[in-house]
Amino acid sequence: MTPQTDKKNMIIAIALSAAIIFGWQFFYEMPRQEKLRAAHEAAQAELAQQQAASGNQTTTAPATTGSNAATATAPGDANVAQQLPREQALVQSPRVAIDAPKLKGSVALKGGRIDDLVLKNYRETIEADSPNVVLLTPANSEHGYIAETGWVAGNGVAVPGPETIWQAQGSTLTPQSPLTLTWNNGAGLTFTRKISIDDGYMFKVEDSVANNGAAAASLAPYSRVVRFGLPPHPSQTYVLHEGPMGVFDGTLNEEKYGSVKSHAEDADAGESKSINFTSTGGWLGISDKYWMVAEVAPTDAKINARYLYEPKFDSYQADYTAEMRDVAAGASASFTHQLFAGAKEVKLLEDYRDNLGIPLFERAVDFGWFFFLTKPLHAFLDWIVRYIGNMGVAILILTVCVKAVMFPLANKSYASMNKMKALQPKMAELKEQYGEDKARFQQEMMALYKKEKVNPAAGCLPIVVQIPVFYALYKVLYVTIDMRQAPFFGWIHDLSMPDPTTFLNLFGLIPWDPHLYFTMPIVGSILHLVSIGVWPLIMGFTMWAQMRLNPTPPDPVQAKMFALMPFVFTFMLGSMPAGLVIYWAWNNTLSIAQQRYIMYRHGTTPPKQPKQAKKA
């Protein structure tokens, strides 16, 4: 087999692999996720009926740590599985309002937890009257999602729990006015919780306890984030991480929802159902594509952290517990937590990393394995956007810059390909002459390469070097919040969503919106696959035009595969974010111009495509 054939086989293998991965996503993974969501809703409804009568539910509190640790369980959340509408769930507790530049919501005095947060600067859709994104919502509401801090204790010491009603000092939590909560357990312990918020998305929670009793008390501070069920719209892709994540002793750890759930289901009776970590300082929480809720421990605090799935409530929990401490009679103790709840804006995360000493906090954005390339590309794209003001145009400019940097490698690759094309007539003669003697054919072919000073691998190596760069650029456009609801021109009003046009309704001429049916099992997946818009068609055409510059492979099977690739990629990219499709189409266009330029320099012309022989 010739090196040229090896290269073609490699390209075919990559194309087939991509087709299999995307096909599996559309025809298997998406219907499976729909079934899981339906099963989850049915299970939640059944659980609500069962627990409505009993009313004695409990949630899992973090276990205490240290040599003198005692096992303790916090009081449960009453009616956590009722699944009330959000507005109805909010009135189940007295509340103190939160009003910050980027956040609004309230602190529940019942439980002293933050379970109502709305992002002021982000809306669900691009419509002007679209509701703001809801991040946190009470545990007994639909898609419950909460954050809280507290104490666990042994020896029968009463500590505040989910049913505790705190007394508030202050009417509204703002960056200028912290909120102070107090509660007395009636046995000599007074608990105080001071909550502050900055101009971004960071809360500071100072928990303290004063022992006015006659006996010492053993207490351990904890912080936890709990999500009930899966997020409403998971990304369903392996390119992006969603689920529990954290940094422990300077090491980033990410776990998918499925892996945390499987760990709990696979655990034998009596074994831990959680994924556990120990660390000095660090942070952990639950991450979505664009949002995150994470608790941050003090840099010098020794903590035990874990990711946990609780089957009883279908809940995912990320928590940490610090060391147990003895609070003597007449003494006091305190512990300061930090809680991030908001959008994963890279610049803001970097500021928190540098100013608050939170390790690798910007890695909450899934920059991937090639983060050393992805982060600089994102920084450059952000710089362009600040001057241009249009994310779509910035993507085009960034692509030009990347192509310019890669031009020497691409030039070498295309030049090598042109030399190989020039040798094709001689190679065809050798194949005709020594076709039956493969060993002799290989020998003569290598001699031809040596004579003409052609390296068959020279065209492949530059391509291999470029792959990480273009993958990093793909990650930048897919995972960062900058492209969310960013407009381009014409009908593209949100670069993070697929092209809204589709030939299924003749690009808007027929009054039917197939996107409304995308959530349906099977049928929705098929409609999602075949809903091809204008930009995917443009991308497919540019890919076809680029492939026309290359000679048709002599193998008929390979020729058919290469001919089908533009159509396959058109359908694969049809449901991907418009920003990525525009980038791909523009990249293809630049590649065509670059290849034509190199052909001109080398005095070659685009190869003519062979015509099919007429049948006699």
Side-chain angles (χ1 to χ4, degrees), residues 163 208 222 226 294 381 489 615:
E163 299 301 309
S208 60
Y222 78 86
V226 187
L381 178 64
F489 295 113
K615 295 183 179 180

Side-chain angles (χ1 to χ4, degrees), residues 527-538:
L527 288 176
H528 202 273
L529 177 64
V530 301
S531 182
I532 307 299
V534 173
W535 270 107
L537 292 175
I538 294 174

Side-chain angles (χ1 to χ4, degrees), residues 208-237:
S208 60
V209 55
N211 188 354
N212 300 314
S218 296
L219 301 167
Y222 78 86
S223 179
R224 67 173 180 166
V225 174
V226 187
R227 163 170 263 162
F228 295 89
L230 293 172
H233 305 291
S235 64
Q236 301 178 351
T237 175

Side-chain angles (χ1 to χ4, degrees), residues 123-128 130-131 484-485:
R123 296 184 179 275
E124 291 288 348
T125 68
I126 60 175
E127 302 300 329
S130 174
R484 183 182 186 271
Q485 296 184 0

Side-chain angles (χ1 to χ4, degrees), residues 488-493:
F488 186 48
F489 295 113
W491 61 94
I492 303 297
H493 303 294

Side-chain angles (χ1 to χ4, degrees), residues 516-574:
L516 299 176
Y517 301 87
F518 282 1
T519 57
M520 295 176 58
I522 309 299
V523 174
S525 299
I526 296 174
L527 288 176
H528 202 273
L529 177 64
V530 301
S531 182
I532 307 299
V534 173
W535 270 107
L537 292 175
I538 294 174
M539 189 284 305
F541 173 78
T542 60
M543 189 174 185
W544 171 83
Q546 184 182 8
M547 295 187 68
R548 293 281 294 183
L549 295 178
N550 300 322
T552 301
D555 186 349
V557 176
Q558 289 183 352
K560 291 180 180 179
M561 288 295 302
F562 273 77
L564 287 174
M565 281 178 61
F567 299 96
V568 172
F569 274 81
T570 298
F571 281 96
M572 287 196 306
L573 297 177

Side-chain angles (χ1 to χ4, degrees), residues 157-241:
V157 176
V159 294
E163 299 301 309
T164 300
I165 304 296
W166 292 74
Q167 299 300 313
Q169 297 178 16
S171 58
T172 303
L173 172 59
T174 70
Q176 295 76 33
S177 57
L179 171 66
T180 300
L181 309 177
T182 57
W183 180 75
N184 191 301
N185 74 344
L189 295 181
T190 300
F191 295 87
T192 303
R193 179 167 297 160
K194 183 180 179 182
I195 306 175
S196 308
I197 187 174
D198 66 4
D199 291 335
Y201 302 112
M202 189 69 74
F203 293 84
K204 182 169 73 171
V205 183
E206 301 172 75
D207 271 341
S208 60
V209 55
N211 188 354
N212 300 314
S218 296
L219 301 167
Y222 78 86
S223 179
R224 67 173 180 166
V225 174
V226 187
R227 163 170 263 162
F228 295 89
L230 293 172
H233 305 291
S235 64
Q236 301 178 351
T237 175
Y238 290 102
V239 177
L240 172 74
H241 171 75

